[in-house]
Amino acid sequence: MPVYQFYSPKGLLTESTKTQIAEEVTTMYCNATGALPSWVKVLFQELPEGDCYTGGKPTAQSLILGINRQGRDLESRRATLRQLSQIWTRATGQPEADLWISVTEVDHTNLMDAGLFIPEPGHEHEWFEENRARLAELGIAA
Amino acid sequence: MPVYQFYSPKGLLTESTKTQIAEEVTTMYCNATGALPSWVKVLFQELPEGDCYTGGKPTAQSLILGINRQGRDLESRRATLRQLSQIWTRATGQPEADLWISVTEVDHTNLMDAGLFIPEPGHEHEWFEENRARLAELGIAA
Amino acid sequence: MPVYQFYSPKGLLTESTKTQIAEEVTTMYCNATGALPSWVKVLFQELPEGDCYTGGKPTAQSLILGINRQGRDLESRRATLRQLSQIWTRATGQPEADLWISVTEVDHTNLMDAGLFIPEPGHEHEWFEENRARLAELGIAA
């Protein structure tokens, strides 16, 4: 919450690029929402040559397929898309013309992290208070 | 309907663990919904080291990303999340702190299985009656 | 918009089959919606033996997991599912009994292509006019 899956051409990303992207995406998301850093999941998947097509032709484009909780307002969601694009192009050198982003929204009742149900957007703070003991036990928050 | 994609660290799952998880998830889902077992799709994907991050740091966590029909009530959906978590932790030995689950809901009109449109939740039995001949022809149901 | 991810058994698809599928899916989608070909993304992913289960048993089935904009009418969406099934079975020789399709709908405000926000279904033409200069600059449309 969110999960961001980054699909990119084989060989584009070094280990340090992946770390940079994962760190920046996590900071961006937590600053915007007040979410726990541990909620931000980033997966990288390489696309072997010939396995990605745009407009019916093989391409070396990248895609970010995200999953996020329903309920964030339009301005926050658009700001997130813009920032994802900037983080990606800055870290990889790919032009933004080669990046596709989509974020699928799911109801917060369809999410579970570390055995806990996740609150709806805007109710993070009450939730942290209520789950403080369990989060400490899990080593997720102090 | 559902599709469950299990993402886990490279090497965590043996063939027999995969079979156990797929069997238990299928039984759990069919008992809860009356769905045909053949509707339950389970995919396993390994995450090579360094391709999965939590909170900006490389991690050996696992994720279950599901897709299911819209229209199941809150209690059933929560029970499914709890059971998915239990099946996973019991089969793999990973603590629940290392598991993330999300289920994306799609309208039943956006699903096709074996060339057939799938009914909305709660209308499985009428649907089986109506499609009995075709399902038998396909070898899916007697 | 759309993204179609094709999951199929290792070795089923040749390069020319992939190209054929990507071309036909792109033509089908653009004819139905007036979308730019460059909006149609097709990804292929192989499922190693033992990583895909149906009904709790290992299987050699295929899945098409799509992501599309919310707002297309029922008849268009059903026609798209039928055509995806036909394109796949014709190109691969797999029977339709071995194919599962789902399309997840996302609000158009959750999509970004080439740094641009995508219009809602039915507003493509105004959008092309408004973004003509930028699209030409990006080499996406004349």
Side-chain angles (χ1 to χ4, degrees):
Chain A
M1 191 253 57
V3 177
Y4 292 116
Q5 293 186 277
F6 291 84
Y7 291 84
S8 62
K10 200 171 164 64
L12 178 70
L13 303 180
T14 62
E15 205 183 300
S16 71
T17 313
K18 289 181 197 176
T19 303
Q20 179 188 340
I21 292 167
E23 286 174 355
E24 293 189 12
V25 163
T26 303
T27 303
M28 176 268 288
Y29 192 83
C30 293
N31 286 349
T33 63
L36 286 174
S38 63
W39 282 357
V40 185
K41 316 291 179 185
V42 171
L43 305 185
F44 295 100
Q45 293 200 41
E46 290 197 325
L47 296 164
E49 209 181 315
D51 281 353
C52 180
Y53 287 74
T54 293
K57 291 182 178 50
T59 183
Q61 292 189 349
S62 299
L63 296 94
I64 308 176
L65 304 185
I67 300 174
N68 204 352
R69 286 176 302 170
Q70 213 146 25
R72 298 184 63 213
D73 65 40
L74 179 64
E75 205 32 67
S76 322
R77 290 185 287 109
R78 291 216 148 152
T80 299
L81 292 175
R82 279 190 211 99
Q83 286 176 284
L84 283 171
S85 181
Q86 288 161 9
I87 289 170
W88 180 261
T89 53
R90 199 167 50 219
T92 64
Q94 273 200 322
E96 65 179 354
D98 285 347
L99 180 65
W100 162 264
I101 311 174
S102 80
V103 177
T104 299
E105 291 180 293
V106 304
D107 195 272
H108 73 100
T109 56
N110 289 321
L111 301 170
M112 179 177 267
D113 186 45
L116 297 167
F117 294 113
I118 297 293
E120 60 184 322
H123 293 72
E124 286 81 358
H125 291 292
E126 300 97 290
W127 183 90
F128 293 149
E129 293 308 317
E130 285 164 26
N131 292 280
R132 185 173 293 278
R134 181 64 183 144
L135 290 167
E137 215 172 276
L138 291 166
I140 290 170
Chain B
M1 191 254 56
V3 178
Y4 292 115
Q5 293 185 276
F6 291 84
Y7 292 84
S8 61
K10 201 170 163 64
L12 178 70
L13 302 180
T14 62
E15 206 184 301
S16 70
T17 313
K18 290 181 197 175
T19 303
Q20 180 189 340
I21 291 167
E23 286 173 355
E24 293 189 12
V25 164
T26 304
T27 303
M28 175 269 288
Y29 192 83
C30 294
N31 287 348
T33 64
L36 286 174
S38 64
W39 283 356
V40 185
K41 316 292 179 184
V42 171
L43 305 185
F44 295 100
Q45 293 200 41
E46 290 197 325
L47 296 164
E49 207 182 314
D51 280 354
C52 180
Y53 288 74
T54 293
K57 292 184 176 49
T59 181
Q61 293 189 349
S62 299
L63 296 93
I64 308 176
L65 304 184
I67 300 174
N68 205 352
R69 287 176 301 170
Q70 213 146 26
R72 299 184 63 213
D73 65 39
L74 179 63
E75 205 32 66
S76 323
R77 291 184 286 109
R78 292 216 149 153
T80 300
L81 292 175
R82 279 190 212 100
Q83 285 176 285
L84 283 170
S85 181
Q86 287 161 9
I87 289 170
W88 180 261
T89 53
R90 199 167 48 218
T92 64
Q94 273 199 322
E96 64 179 354
D98 285 347
L99 180 65
W100 163 265
I101 310 174
S102 81
V103 177
T104 299
E105 291 179 293
V106 305
D107 194 272
H108 73 101
T109 56
N110 289 321
L111 301 171
M112 179 177 266
D113 186 45
L116 297 167
F117 294 113
I118 296 293
E120 59 184 322
H123 292 72
E124 285 82 358
H125 290 293
E126 301 96 289
W127 184 90
F128 293 149
E129 292 308 318
E130 285 164 26
N131 292 282
R132 184 173 293 278
R134 182 63 184 144
L135 290 167
E137 216 173 276
L138 292 166
I140 290 171
Chain C
M1 193 251 55
V3 177
Y4 292 116
Q5 294 187 276
F6 291 83
Y7 291 86
S8 62
K10 200 170 165 65
L12 178 69
L13 302 180
T14 63
E15 205 183 301
S16 71
T17 313
K18 290 180 196 176
T19 303
Q20 180 189 339
I21 291 167
E23 286 173 355
E24 292 189 12
V25 163
T26 303
T27 304
M28 175 269 286
Y29 192 84
C30 294
N31 287 348
T33 63
L36 286 174
S38 64
W39 283 357
V40 185
K41 316 291 179 186
V42 171
L43 305 185
F44 294 100
Q45 293 201 40
E46 290 196 325
L47 296 163
E49 208 183 315
D51 281 353
C52 180
Y53 288 74
T54 293
K57 291 183 177 50
T59 181
Q61 293 190 349
S62 298
L63 297 93
I64 308 177
L65 304 185
I67 300 175
N68 205 352
R69 286 176 302 168
Q70 213 146 25
R72 299 183 63 213
D73 64 38
L74 178 64
E75 205 32 66
S76 322
R77 290 185 286 108
R78 292 216 148 153
T80 300
L81 292 175
R82 278 190 211 99
Q83 285 175 283
L84 283 171
S85 181
Q86 287 161 9
I87 289 170
W88 179 260
T89 52
R90 199 167 50 218
T92 65
Q94 273 199 320
E96 64 179 355
D98 284 347
L99 180 64
W100 163 264
I101 311 175
S102 80
V103 177
T104 299
E105 291 180 291
V106 304
D107 194 272
H108 73 99
T109 57
N110 289 321
L111 301 170
M112 179 177 266
D113 186 45
L116 297 167
F117 294 113
I118 297 293
E120 61 184 320
H123 292 73
E124 286 81 359
H125 291 292
E126 300 97 289
W127 184 90
F128 293 151
E129 293 308 316
E130 285 165 25
N131 292 281
R132 185 172 292 277
R134 180 63 183 146
L135 290 167
E137 217 173 275
L138 292 166
I140 290 170

